[in-house]
Amino acid sequence: MAKILVTGGLGFIGSHTVVELINAGYEPVIVDDLSNSNVKILDQLTKILGRKPIFHQLDLCDEAGVKQLLSAEPDIDGIIHFAAFKAVGESVEFPLKYYRNNFYSLINLLNTYYSKPVNFVFSSSCTVYGQPDQLPVTENASVKPAESPYGNTKQIAEEILKDMIASGGSRYKVIALRYFNPVGAHESALIGELPVGVPQNLVPFVTQTAIGKREKITVFGNDYHTPDGSCIRDYIHVVDLAKAHVAALKLMEQESFTGYDVFNIGTGKGTSVLEIIDAFERSTGEKLNFVIGPRRPGDVEQVWGDVTKSTNVLGWKTELDIDTMMASAWAWEKYIANNPL
Ligand code: WQD
C-alpha cells in the first residue's frame, strides 16, 4: 500500500485529506507539530476510519527531527505538504515568523527525501493571483505581487519547487494545487474547521454566530462592483478539495507525468458574501443576525477559478454544492458545541 506523508495532517484540510487517502487505498503517515491543530483530531479520525492513523509530532523546521523522520519512515511514495502558517493578517504583523516557518519546513522536507522518487503535492492558494485582470482566473494568469507575506510564501514556494524540478537533480514529481476558499465539514460531523480564537474566515464566523458564540456577523462592505455589492469568492467543499489531492497523486503515478504542474482547485463559480448568508439560512433554517460594515483592508473584490484544466488534465471536479457546504459546516459547529475537543 503506497505510503503518503501528510504534513499538517491534523489540520482542517489535512484531516479531511487523510480520510480520502484511506478511502482511496493509500496509507497516510501524519506529521504535525500541533502549533495550529488539536491532537484529539487523531481520535476523531480513528472514529471515522475504524483504525488509528500513524502520527509523528514534529516541527519540520527542526532539521535533526526531520532526519529522524526519514529513518522512521524511509519508504515514502508521496508527500502532501500542508504544514504552514496561513493567517493573512498575522503574516502582516509577524512576517519573519511566516518566512522562517513556511520556508524552513518546506526546504528541510525537500532535502530529506531528495534522492527518493516521491510524488509531492504542494498546498498553494488562489491568493497568488491577487485581484485577477480576468475572471474566471486560469492557471497561466499573471501572478500579481502578493497582498501579504502569507501569500508571498505561497508564491515563492511555487518558485522553489519549479527551480528544484528544473535543476534536474531530484527524483521528485510535483503538483501545486491552488485552493480557493475551503469550507464545510465531513458528513460525519466528526472533523471540521477549528479556528483558534475569533474566526478570520467567513463561514466559521457564520456558524459561530448561528450557534450564539458571536453576537452578529459583519458583512465587510456592500459597495463593491458586484451584483449585490458584497465580495465574491469561489467556495469549495473541503471534501471535494481533499479528493483533489488523491487525483494529484494518481496523475503523478502515471509514467507520462513528469516534472511540475499547477491546478486551480475550486468550483469555477463565484458566490457573494450575502449569497453565502442566504444559502446558510436556506439550508439550515437558522436566521443569521448580520449587519453591513466597512470594507476589510486587503480584500480583493472578486475572484473565482477557471477549473477546465483540473477537469480535463487532473480528471477531478467538485460534486458538492453550496447548500451542502453550509449544512455540513453547521452540523460540525453543533457537534463541537456539544463535544468540545
Ligand atoms: C471571504 C469573504 C470577506 C469574514 C481565504 C484565506 C486565504 C485563502 C483564500 C488559502 C471576504 C468576507 C469575512 C467576516 C465578511 N485560502 N467576510 N465578514 O479573505 O477570501 O481568504 O481564502 O490560502 O488564506 O484567508 O476568505 O473567509 O476571510 O473572506 O464579510 O466576518 O468574506 O470580506 O470578502 P478570504 P475569508
Side-chain angles (χ1 to χ4, degrees), residues 297-318:
D299 268 338
V300 298
E301 178 176 272
Q302 44 189 319
V303 57
W304 67 92
D306 180 314
V307 292
T308 311
K309 186 180 172 190
S310 290
T311 305
N312 296 343
V313 179
L314 192 56
W316 165 93
K317 64 182 172 43
T318 53

Side-chain angles (χ1 to χ4, degrees), residues 69 107 248 303 326:
L69 175 68
I107 291 167
V303 57
M326 295 302 112

Side-chain angles (χ1 to χ4, degrees), residues 270-290:
T271 304
S272 74
V273 177
L274 290 170
E275 286 171 331
I276 284 285
I277 290 173
D278 268 352
F280 182 82
E281 292 184 332
R282 179 177 63 243
S283 59
T284 64
E286 299 292 328
K287 197 85 190 83
L288 267 177
N289 177 21
F290 70 91

Side-chain angles (χ1 to χ4, degrees), residues 1-5 75-79 117-120 249:
M1 188 187 281
K3 257 190 174 185
I4 309 297
L5 210 60
D75 305 319
I76 290 293
D77 301 280
I79 295 175
V118 166
N119 294 328
F120 193 98
L249 289 173

Side-chain angles (χ1 to χ4, degrees), residues 82 84 122-125 127-128 149-158:
F82 293 107
F122 176 65
S123 165
S124 191
S125 165
T127 41
V128 303
Y150 159 75
N152 210 18
T153 65
K154 290 300 181 185
Q155 286 182 359
I156 297 170
E158 287 192 9

Side-chain angles (χ1 to χ4, degrees), residues 124-145:
S124 191
S125 165
C126 64
T127 41
V128 303
Y129 298 118
Q131 178 57 66
D133 299 330
Q134 271 192 306
L135 287 169
V137 61
T138 62
E139 288 86 351
N140 52 23
S142 55
V143 168
K144 299 276 186 72

Side-chain angles (χ1 to χ4, degrees), residues 86 88 124-127 150 154 179-182 199-205 217-221 224 230-233 235 273 296 299-301 303:
K86 65 162 183 93
V88 174
S124 191
S125 165
C126 64
T127 41
Y150 159 75
K154 290 300 181 185
Y179 308 157
F180 284 76
N181 289 50
Q200 296 305 304
N201 292 134
L202 176 64
V203 173
F205 208 109
I217 178 152
T218 303
V219 175
F220 295 146
Y224 287 98
S230 65
C231 285
I232 294 174
R233 294 289 185 276
Y235 298 93
V273 177
R296 178 173 70 174
D299 268 338
V300 298
E301 178 176 272
V303 57

